[in-house]
Each structure stands twice: as C-alpha cells, then as structure tokens.
Amino acid sequence: MNTALSWIKAYVPDLRCTAQEYTDAMTLTGTKVETFHEYDKNLEKIVVGQILSIDKHPNADKLVVCQVNVGSQTIQIVTGAPNVAVGQKVPVVLDGGKVAGGHDGGPMPEDGIRIKAGKLRGVESFGMMCSIEELGSSRDFYPDAPESGIYILPEDAPVGADAVEVLGLHDVVFEYEITSNRVDCYSVIGIAREAAATFRLPFVLPEVKATGNDEDIHNFLEVEVKDMDLCPRYCARMVKNIHLAPSPEWMQRRLAASGIRPINNLVDITNYVMEEYGQPMHAFDYDTIAGHRIVVARANDGDTFVTLDGQERKLDHDILMINDAEKAIGIGGIMGGENSKITDDVKTMVFEAACFDGTNIRLSAKRLGMHTDASGKFDKGLDPHTAMAAINRACELIEELGAGEVVGGVIDVCAGLPEEKHVPFNPEKINKLLGTDVTEEEMRSYFARLDLTVNEEERTIVCPTWRQDLLREADIAEEVARFYGYDKIPTTLPHGEATAGGLSLKLRVENIARSVAEFAGYSESMTYSFESPKVWDRLRLATDDVRRTAVTIQNPLGEDFSVMRTLPVNGMLTSLSTNYNRRNKDVKLYELATIYLPQAGEVLPDERVQLVLGSYGEGDFFTVKGVVEEVLGKLGITGRLSCDPACGEPFLHPGRKAVLSVNGTVIGYMGELHPDVADAYRIGERVQLAVLDMPVVTRMADFDRKYQGLARFPAVRRDLSMVVPHEVLAGQVEETIRANAGKLLESCELFDIYEGSQIAGGFKSMAYAVTFRAADRTLEDAEVSAVMGGIVEALGSLGIVLRQ
C-alpha cells in the first residue's frame, strides 16, 4: 500500500511533520511504514524561468544560448534541448543548486548533482533548464513531459516562483506493510484515520454531495443476484453523455504515487475511489449489456471467458460471474470482460460497486492465475457499507470533472448489512493483560480518536463496521497498547507457577541421558518415525508379534514410509550400516527415538521415547552395560541393574542378550545384534545395542540426593576365590553375596574370571573382592569372619566351592 503525503493531508489538513517523523510515529502506533521517497530530495534553488531570447551557439551546432528571466534577474543559459522556444516557462536550477539526476533517466545519485556556473564550448552558462527526469520524476507522473527535452511549465506559472512547488514535488510517498486483518487500512481514508489518531489531529472525511438527474435508473437497468452468499451487496449507478478526457493533474499524480498508471477520466475515477475508499469498482458500457439486465451468478463448469487483458479464462462452478441477459461480462471481484469494456465510443456506462465473499475471490483468483488490484482487496473481506459510499463518491467525481451526467437513483441489492459490534470494556482487565496502569479516561481518549464509542449501560466498546479486526477484549487491549506506546510498556514477568521456569521432569531425564551418552563418546542420531513394514522381517519378528501392528499413514510418501515405527532399532541399524559402508571405524551412536504403539479403543497411539545405544568396533557387551549403569546412576536410580539372559528379542544374538531390570522392574534390553540381522543391514562387525524405555526410567528417577561424610573408620577387605558351575551367572553370585553380607557390606567387585585346563570341565574360576566397613567403629576380625561364613554357606547352595 502506497500513499502520497499530500493525499493524506487532504483528510488531515493540520498534519505538519517531516517524512521521518511521520514514519516513526505511524510505525509505533501499528501502521508500519516500510520506506518513503521524497520527491523533492536533492532539489535546491530551482525556480520558474521564462525564455526571453534564443541565439545560436557560435561554436556548436547543437547548442543554443538562451536569455532567461528568473524573476530577480536575467541569466544566460546554454542548452542542447531541442524543444525550447521563446516565451516558454521552464524549471531553472540556479548556480549552486541541485538536481536529482541526469537527463538520461538512469539511476539517480544518492546526493544528487550540484550545478555550477561555467563555460560550454567557450560560452558562459549560469544555470540549467531541467527535464522532468532531472527533477527526479518521470513521464508516469507527468505524461505531458517530452521524451527528451526540457519540461514546459504552465503559462500561468509565476516567474521566479519555486518550480518544485509549482510542479507539486514537495511531496513524499510512503510504502506501508499492512497486516491482512486491517482491511480498512488498504485505503487512503483508512491510513488518514490512523494518521489523525496518531498525531491527535482532526480527521475530515470527504463530504459527498448528492448527484443525479430527475431520471430513475430502475427504468434503464435491472440487477439480479442469484448467489447472495458470494455477493451480499451489489450497487449500480448509471452515467450518460460520457465525455472522455484526461483526468486532472492532481488525480493523475495521486494515482501514479500509488503505482497506478493514469488512463482517462472514467478509468481514473474508478481507480481513484478504489484507492481512496479501499472499494474496487468497475465500469461497463451500457450499450453492450444485453437486455439491459445484470445477473450475478456462478459460472458453469467448462465455460470460457475473455477478460480485459485479452486472455481466455477457463471457468468452473465456484467462480462468480457478472452476466447480462445473454452472456458473461465480467468475473466478479477480479476483472471485467473484453466484451463490455469502456472504449472511446462509450456514451452511457454503468458503475458497479459490490461486496464479494473474500474466500471465494481468493480461491477463484488462484485457480485462474489472476491477481489484480481488485481481487487483492476483495479477498480480505470488505465492509458492505463501503460499497454505497464509494459509488456515490465516484458519481460525485464524474460530475465534478465534467465526465458525464449521472442518472438519478441507485440499484442496491443487499442481503443485509452487518451491525456495529459490541466488545466488553474492562479497564482493569486491559491493564492486567498489558502490564500497564492506564487510566480509564486515557483509554477513552484513545477510543475517541479511533471512532470507537463507549456504551455506558452495557460497559462495551461500540466498534464501527469498517473495523472488522475488533472482535474481543484482547483486540481492544491492543488498541490501548499501540496508542499508549509499545515503548512505554514495562517489561514484566507473567504471574503464576510458570514464572519459576525450568524443564519438566521428562526433559530433565532425557537431557541427562543425552549428556551421559555424549560423555561416553556416542554421537546423536536422528531418524524418521516413518518406516516400511518390511523392517519387521529384517528384524526377524514372529508373524504374531504384536509389534507388527502399527499405525498406518493415510497418505504415505511410499511403502518405505507407510507405517509409524513400533521398534526404535531400525533407524539406528540403518545409521550404523551407512557409517560401516563408508569405512568409518569404531562408531557409537545414540538416539532418543519415539515409538508409536496402537492402543485398543483409542484413536491416538501410545507415544514412548526410548534411548537407543548402538555401536560397533571398540567396546563390547560390558562397555555398553557400563553406559547404561552410568545413566541410571546420574538419574538417582539406586537399585542394582539386573541382566536376565532370558530375553526374547529375536534380532539379538541368542547367547549374548539380556533383559534389563531394576528392583524387579523391566526398563529395557541390550545385547549383541544377531548375525543374520547384521548381514541384512550389511554390517560386517559385531554390533552392540541397548534400549531403555524412558517413561519407566523417568518414573524411577530420583533427584533427592543425600550425601554422607567421609568414612572415619578403616575398611576390611576379604577376597573370595571360587570354583563356580558354568551355568551359574555372575549376577546370581553377586546377589547371593549382597543378600548375606548384611549392613556391613560396602562393596562387592568381581576382579577375576578364568576358564581353562586348571579348572575342571563344566566349571569356571571367579574371584570377588568383598569390602566391609562400619560407620561407628572399627570392625573386629570375628565379626567379618562370621559374615563371610554365612556368605560361603549360601554360595554352597549354588554348587560353589572355595578354591584351595
């Protein structure tokens, strides 16, 4: 959205500020100014001059020497302009003045060009006559300017006056970034309202005079709207005895400043009102409307229509068309048709100002591949009240500019107009929401500047229909905030438990697991939650395994991403396989992977995060077990980790896997990858895996740490060297020792294990270091010996004997 400052001042006449002051103030109150362009930038000492005489240059065929009256004096100027003539009034930059750019129309220098007196081919020149390009403008703004040559000013321009003022170049164009909810600000009037409220100045809305002759439009035209849901209001007026001509300079320049090329008075009026009110309009040639009847209805699937740009458009049932009694003559809210356009031969025309459904216009424009100025405004949803105001304003301009005779009356087909909204007004709640202390009187002053009124009985804010963004109390609070000043609102923390901050227990546990894994040399891996059902066969799952039942994707990218994973190991094995086949050695990866387990009778699956550790190369089963133990230790899980070889996971090695549990609660599993599975993933080394179910681990985590002082009394260590049946596991031995050692036991560590020729077949040698300590005394040998006796006796029940 672009507007000229002069256009804004037409509605806020007391506005006095620099371009930068305007930019800063409007941006702080919510109407963000992206940039601005000053037309008079780098224009200095430029006056109106009149050419008194022209003589040939003595030393150059293409140059002439002019005597120019600049008001205070007559100066000599040498020029090569081909269009100069005696008596012309032209813009003249005096000695020491500045122009914006060169005559070639190229990029303008940042600081302009300084003009100094000098000699041209031996003849003195004390200034320069200017083209429109040298004044920083173009033929888009001044269509009467020659393509090459000096710009000729009007005959009534006073000699010696400020030429920049005469040309209307003391102006600024602002470019705004308007949010889609502020539909009212897609108009000059809406921007002017905001400017008046920002600078606390009166806003003067254009006073539209009644127009129309004694005739009645209903005698000439009939309008029917068949789809009121897509067109809730359709207004039409007629103008006869059309006189086409260029629009006045002020209108052309305002349109050009908004990025619209002036064409003629009729087209320019529709564009002018569209920019002024934010209400697109369209004009039809009355004589081309068959049956003098307009019907607004949906198109038929497969229809085609030629728009004003000469392109044939394919239509469908959801596109709204403007039709006459025989044919389509326009696409509602987007573009008119070639068959009803205004030509130089037009005698009578019909003005259309309608309100269309924004969503339908947006979708229709997208399907047609058309985005016009009109559709860009309609697709945001316009206020139906504006249609009548805009069409009356257009007819006023028709009469004011002598473009035609307005027929009396107006056709208004309307499904009903929206009423003003009433939003609760609670100053205390607004201040609490904003963290401010604005008085109710000050809030009311803001509302008055915005045309918002307070209903005292209801304690509500009455919002005009053109403020479609004001729907609830939070919107009213925003109005208070932007005029109180966002920069004045203090920084405060929200009240409540959330103020304390911190991570949830789940995230704290996951972060600790992540830190331990990385400390142990593992790198984080991230894999897709989508998998292929073929994964289950690669992992050797039984056909009746419940994990073959998965959540399926309705619109998968392909079979390889068609189900949600129920096991976390496929992604890890795929990552390990990639590393192995790229010759990476000693790889360690971890992932906090989410699995999705369907729940009977539930729409959503059970989503569980599981810590997966995967490695090959350096390290073995016990290395991975150590990492698991470190994770549990950092989480304050004090129970002993048990490894039960009765693990049913089919993708793990049958003799090198275990179920992990703590105090009888299963927390996961670990082991070496089954050779067949390793081959399926093309991994040529032993792979170690460990999986911890984090929801279970989180329930067991305890961060209530209790610290003990250093031991004051010495420890007593006894070594147990035993011959153990091969089927007895180290975990069973340790459990037996701990169960019979009592409270005096401090530690129990396996420090040697041996199988060989010196040990009988079916047995192995194991040696434990058992340490005892009392917190209140020095232990006596008899106490320790008694405890050791009980341990040895209990071990004997497992078939274990002491080595001699």
Side-chain angles (χ1 to χ4, degrees):
M1 178 72 190
N2 295 351
T3 66
L5 182 59
S6 59
W7 203 349
I8 298 296
K9 287 182 177 180
Y11 314 115
V12 191
D14 297 333
L15 183 61
R16 301 287 185 272
C17 62
T18 66
Q20 192 60 56
E21 289 171 345
Y22 181 91
T23 296
D24 295 341
M26 292 291 282
T27 299
L28 283 175
T29 54
T31 309
K32 184 181 179 183
V33 178
E34 284 285 347
T35 186
F36 62 84
H37 171 63
E38 297 172 286
Y39 287 154
D40 57 359
K41 182 180 179 181
N42 297 323
L43 300 183
E44 298 177 9
K45 297 179 68 174
I46 301 177
V47 299
V48 177
Q50 185 172 24
I51 301 174
L52 302 179
S53 66
I54 302 175
D55 298 311
K56 293 185 65 175
H57 194 289
N59 302 317
D61 294 337
K62 294 185 178 181
L63 297 178
V64 294
V65 181
C66 302
Q67 302 300 320
V68 182
N69 177 14
V70 294
S72 60
Q73 60 181 319
T74 298
I75 63 175
Q76 180 172 283
I77 298 177
V78 178
T79 181
N83 63 325
V84 292
V86 174
Q88 289 176 338
K89 293 181 179 179
V90 295
V92 176
V93 55
L94 303 177
D95 180 23
K98 264 188 179 183
V99 292
H103 65 277
D104 57 358
M108 289 184 288
E110 180 65 26
D111 298 323
I113 299 174
R114 183 73 64 183
I115 303 300
K116 295 182 180 180
K119 291 185 178 182
L120 291 177
R121 301 293 294 271
V123 177
E124 289 185 317
S125 181
F126 297 94
M128 184 181 77
M129 292 181 281
C130 304
S131 67
I132 201 65
E133 289 78 15
E134 287 164 333
L135 296 174
S137 191
S138 68
R139 298 183 71 244
D140 289 337
F141 287 79
Y142 298 89
D144 58 330
E147 291 188 14
S148 61
I150 302 304
Y151 183 76
I152 310 303
L153 294 171
E155 293 182 1
D156 59 353
V159 175
D162 182 358
V164 178
E165 177 72 28
V166 171
L167 287 166
L169 288 174
H170 286 310
D171 204 354
V172 186
V173 170
F174 297 95
E175 180 182 342
Y176 306 87
E177 178 186 329
I178 308 298
T179 54
S180 58
N181 65 319
R182 288 303 304 270
V183 182
D184 58 300
C185 286
Y186 283 90
S187 66
V188 179
I189 287 178
I191 296 291
R193 277 198 187 100
E194 289 294 308
T198 297
F199 291 95
R200 300 172 182 260
L201 297 172
F203 170 71
V204 181
L205 189 68
E207 183 179 347
V208 180
K209 300 176 183 177
T211 56
N213 57 22
D214 295 334
E215 297 174 297
D216 187 353
I217 187 175
H218 294 86
N219 297 328
F220 301 92
L221 184 70
E222 180 184 353
V223 175
E224 178 186 3
V225 179
K226 292 186 176 180
D227 294 278
M228 298 293 289
D229 57 326
L230 300 185
C231 179
R233 190 175 197 184
Y234 191 98
C235 301
R237 296 199 69 174
M238 278 182 60
V239 180
K240 64 180 186 178
N241 300 325
I242 298 295
H243 172 64
L244 290 180
S247 54
E249 289 185 1
W250 60 267
M251 179 176 286
Q252 291 187 36
R253 290 172 189 171
R254 288 181 179 180
L255 289 175
S258 299
I260 299 175
R261 182 173 62 88
I263 297 176
N264 57 48
N265 49 5
L266 291 184
V267 176
D268 291 354
I269 285 172
T270 60
N271 288 332
Y272 185 86
V273 174
M274 178 177 71
E275 292 299 303
E276 185 178 40
Y277 280 80
Q279 170 67 52
M281 299 182 61
H282 189 68
F284 299 104
D285 187 336
Y286 176 75
D287 294 326
T288 65
I289 300 176
H292 295 159
R293 184 168 184 264
I294 290 178
V295 180
V296 183
R298 295 173 183 264
N300 297 314
D301 290 332
D303 284 354
T304 59
F305 180 70
V306 179
T307 48
L308 277 172
D309 56 4
Q311 300 294 316
E312 184 177 82
R313 311 289 179 175
K314 293 183 179 180
L315 309 177
D316 59 53
H317 180 70
D318 291 322
I319 295 176
L320 192 67
M321 300 299 294
I322 312 299
N323 308 279
D324 60 19
E326 300 174 356
K327 62 187 180 300
I329 57 175
I331 303 177
I334 300 178
M335 186 179 285
E338 179 80 13
N339 55 10
S340 62
K341 68 179 181 180
I342 300 297
T343 65
D344 293 343
D345 299 326
V346 65
K347 295 181 176 60
T348 305
M349 72 170 190
V350 175
F351 260 144
E352 164 199 282
C355 185
F356 299 104
D357 179 71
T359 302
N360 177 263
I361 294 297
R362 182 172 63 254
L363 296 176
S364 297
K366 184 176 181 180
R367 289 197 303 277
L368 292 170
M370 303 173 66
H371 182 80
T372 61
D373 290 335
S375 68
K377 295 183 184 295
F378 277 124
D379 65 16
K380 296 171 179 63
L382 300 183
D383 178 13
H385 289 86
T386 308
M388 184 62 73
I391 201 168
N392 289 335
R393 170 65 166 160
C395 290
E396 179 192 41
L397 290 171
I398 287 286
E399 292 191 350
E400 181 180 319
L401 302 184
E405 179 185 353
V406 179
V407 174
V410 58
I411 295 177
D412 183 12
V413 181
C414 184
L417 295 173
E419 298 181 354
E420 295 176 326
K421 296 180 290 293
H422 291 239
V423 180
F425 176 42
N426 188 332
E428 290 185 7
K429 189 173 181 180
I430 290 175
N431 277 320
K432 188 174 181 181
L433 180 63
L434 299 178
T436 56
D437 189 19
V438 183
T439 64
E440 181 175 340
E441 290 72 19
E442 191 170 357
M443 292 184 189
R444 287 172 177 263
S445 71
Y446 301 154
F447 300 151
R449 287 150 54 187
L450 293 166
D451 289 340
L452 308 179
T453 58
V454 179
N455 186 311
E456 300 293 350
E457 295 182 2
E458 299 179 354
R459 289 292 289 176
T460 58
I461 303 297
V462 182
C463 307
T465 56
W466 42 264
R467 284 302 301 272
Q468 299 183 42
D469 60 308
L470 301 181
L471 303 173
R472 54 188 66 85
E473 288 180 273
D475 300 324
I476 300 299
E478 183 181 2
E479 299 302 294
V480 172
R482 66 193 186 98
F483 286 100
Y484 174 73
Y486 290 116
D487 54 327
K488 298 179 183 177
I489 298 177
T491 301
T492 56
L493 291 174
H495 299 287
E497 295 179 1
T499 304
L503 299 174
S504 64
L505 177 61
K506 172 181 178 293
L507 292 179
R508 289 174 64 193
V509 169
E510 290 178 3
N511 282 347
I512 289 173
R514 184 180 285 109
S515 297
V516 171
E518 291 176 355
F519 179 78
Y522 286 76
S523 298
E524 186 170 15
S525 171
M526 299 182 70
T527 59
Y528 290 113
S529 296
F530 305 150
E531 291 185 338
S532 167
K534 297 178 182 178
V535 167
W536 301 325
D537 294 330
R538 296 175 74 182
L539 294 176
R540 306 178 70 249
L541 296 187
T543 55
D544 59 349
D545 194 309
V546 295
R547 290 171 295 188
R548 283 182 176 266
T549 302
V551 177
T552 58
I553 308 300
Q554 288 186 352
N555 299 301
L557 297 175
E559 185 183 7
D560 291 343
F561 301 95
S562 59
V563 297
M564 304 295 287
R565 63 184 173 193
T566 56
L567 278 167
V569 296
N570 172 65
M572 175 59 67
L573 294 176
T574 302
S575 297
L576 291 174
S577 174
T578 300
N579 279 274
Y580 177 79
N581 287 284
R582 292 183 181 177
R583 304 293 191 270
N584 292 328
K585 298 181 179 180
D586 300 327
V587 174
K588 294 181 178 179
L589 300 176
Y590 79 92
E591 180 180 7
L592 285 163
T594 302
I595 61 172
Y596 305 83
L597 305 177
Q599 303 180 87
E602 298 290 337
V603 176
L604 298 177
D606 178 19
E607 298 184 22
R608 306 183 71 84
V609 177
Q610 297 192 328
L611 173 65
V612 188
L613 301 173
S615 63
Y616 66 77
E618 183 182 1
D620 56 13
F621 179 94
F622 298 101
T623 305
V624 180
K625 180 187 175 189
V627 178
V628 172
E629 289 175 334
E630 183 68 15
V631 170
L632 299 181
K634 291 294 183 182
L635 293 174
I637 300 175
T638 55
R640 193 177 64 82
L641 177 66
S642 297
C643 298
D644 184 354
C647 176
E649 297 298 346
F651 48 84
L652 295 179
H653 194 292
R656 299 168 186 165
K657 58 184 177 179
V659 174
L660 302 177
S661 60
V662 176
N663 299 333
T665 301
V666 175
I667 63 171
Y669 53 87
M670 64 175 294
E672 183 180 313
L673 188 65
H674 195 289
D676 292 345
V677 179
D679 290 342
Y681 282 91
R682 297 194 303 153
I683 305 175
E685 293 195 32
R686 290 185 174 183
V687 177
Q688 305 297 330
L689 288 176
V691 177
L692 294 182
D693 192 30
M694 296 307 291
V696 176
V697 172
T698 300
R699 289 196 297 269
M700 301 175 70
D702 184 5
F703 295 105
D704 185 13
R705 305 297 174 86
K706 295 180 180 179
Y707 297 90
Q708 296 179 342
L710 295 175
R712 297 172 54 195
F713 299 96
V716 176
R717 169 173 164 164
R718 296 288 176 87
D719 291 344
L720 280 174
S721 181
M722 304 167 286
V723 177
V724 182
H726 194 274
E727 65 273 9
V728 177
L729 303 177
Q732 293 175 276
V733 175
E734 188 172 335
E735 286 180 4
T736 302
I737 294 173
R738 290 183 178 277
N740 292 275
K743 295 180 180 180
L744 297 179
L745 181 67
E746 185 175 76
S747 66
C748 174
E749 296 181 6
L750 175 67
F751 66 87
D752 183 60
I753 185 168
Y754 172 74
E755 293 182 69
S757 58
Q758 297 181 15
I759 304 299
F763 290 86
K764 57 190 173 184
S765 173
M766 301 180 71
Y768 280 86
V770 185
T771 304
F772 300 92
R773 192 194 302 268
D776 57 349
R777 67 188 188 282
T778 299
L779 291 175
E780 295 181 0
D781 185 66
E783 290 180 272
V784 176
S785 296
V787 174
M788 288 297 295
I791 292 174
V792 171
E793 183 178 352
L795 290 173
S797 64
L798 298 175
I800 299 172
V801 297
L802 297 180
R803 290 190 66 180
Q804 301 298 323

